[in-house]
Amino acid sequence: ETGWLLLDRTVHPTCDASVCHLFLDEMAERCRQLMIPPITPRETCKLLNRVFFHEYGFRGAAKESHHPDNSFLHKVIEQRRGLPITLSVLYLLVARRIGFDLEPIGLPGRFMVGCFAEDVPFYVDVWAGGRFREVHELEGFLKEVAFENSGSFLLPVTVAETLARGCRNLILQYRQAGDEEHSRLFQRFAAEFESVLRREANA
């Protein structure tokens, strides 16, 4: 959460992180109001879907998905529109506030959320309005895109990997907007996150 909001402030220095924290606290409190234990992991995700999509109106930014605002958490909160990765990050942050552990899943072309609390994991496609995806569905998708070692894409990614991917989106978005200065800025950030990943891999 801190890392993502620091990225926001590099371009939007007046962004008030406390407003974002309080908003996510509010969403989490609404989830707690609706929780009636005992509750299964899938039921918890359905409850999150109700609050996230139906009560607060979050959606995928199908139009103008190339706009950089879709990659900044505070802008996604303001506009209730975002990319798969920013929507997934917000979904995760609300879940963790209610003590429910979900994981970031960096599939090629579609960031998702994974739940590993049951014997067989399942996935939440936040871009598709919280649709549940089963392992066999995603395995079929990965075979279609023909990635080697594609099974690793179904496992959680690290904070650094998530931030690096967010930066790569911003590199492309600013380049498409003709803003090379900001594109180079996020290239430097992405390179730094990727160097962290290399150091961790060699540790």
Side-chain angles (χ1 to χ4, degrees):
E1 185 168 340
T2 300
W4 276 92
L5 291 172
L6 284 173
L7 287 181
D8 287 27
R9 295 191 71 176
T10 60
V11 177
H12 302 278
T14 60
C15 164
D16 188 346
S18 66
V19 172
C20 299
H21 298 321
L22 289 171
F23 176 82
L24 294 170
D25 290 346
E26 176 189 303
M27 290 185 71
E29 179 57 30
R30 177 57 181 152
C31 290
R32 280 190 286 268
Q33 290 172 359
L34 296 171
M35 292 178 75
I36 303 174
I39 185 169
T40 69
R42 287 179 186 258
E43 289 169 341
T44 304
C45 288
K46 287 179 181 178
L47 186 151
L48 282 163
N49 285 349
R50 169 180 165 171
V51 172
F52 198 80
F53 300 108
H54 299 288
E55 297 194 10
Y56 282 84
F58 282 94
R59 296 286 183 275
K63 295 181 179 179
E64 297 189 358
S65 60
H66 60 280
H67 198 288
D69 280 358
N70 296 310
S71 290
F72 293 117
L73 287 194
H74 80 287
K75 288 292 186 181
V76 175
I77 288 172
E78 286 175 11
Q79 299 168 10
R80 305 292 202 269
R81 298 291 182 272
L83 300 179
I85 188 168
T86 44
L87 292 173
S88 293
V89 167
L90 290 173
Y91 194 97
L92 281 167
L93 293 175
V94 174
R96 290 182 178 177
R97 277 168 163 76
I98 63 172
F100 182 53
D101 282 335
L102 296 174
E103 300 292 344
I105 305 295
L107 289 166
R110 180 67 67 88
F111 210 90
M112 294 190 192
V113 170
C115 180
F116 296 83
E118 298 181 342
D119 292 339
V120 177
F122 66 93
Y123 302 84
V124 181
D125 190 346
V126 184
W127 176 257
R131 179 176 172 180
F132 288 3
R133 305 280 188 182
E134 307 302 330
V135 171
H136 65 84
E137 287 183 77
L138 299 186
E139 286 176 341
F141 165 74
L142 291 168
K143 286 177 183 176
E144 288 178 13
V145 296
F147 277 89
E148 292 185 10
N149 301 317
S150 59
S152 63
F153 286 116
L154 299 179
L155 299 176
V157 294
T158 65
V159 171
E161 287 173 303
T162 306
L163 289 166
R165 184 156 169 171
C167 287
R168 287 194 293 271
N169 286 338
L170 283 161
I171 293 165
L172 179 60
Q173 288 164 337
Y174 277 118
R175 186 173 295 153
Q176 289 175 333
D179 187 340
E180 285 299 323
E181 181 180 354
H182 279 117
S183 182
R184 287 193 295 271
L185 173 68
F186 286 100
Q187 281 178 327
R188 294 196 295 272
F189 290 154
E192 180 60 31
F193 289 130
E194 285 161 1
S195 71
V196 169
L197 292 170
R198 287 193 294 272
R199 289 197 297 270
E200 289 176 348
N202 294 326

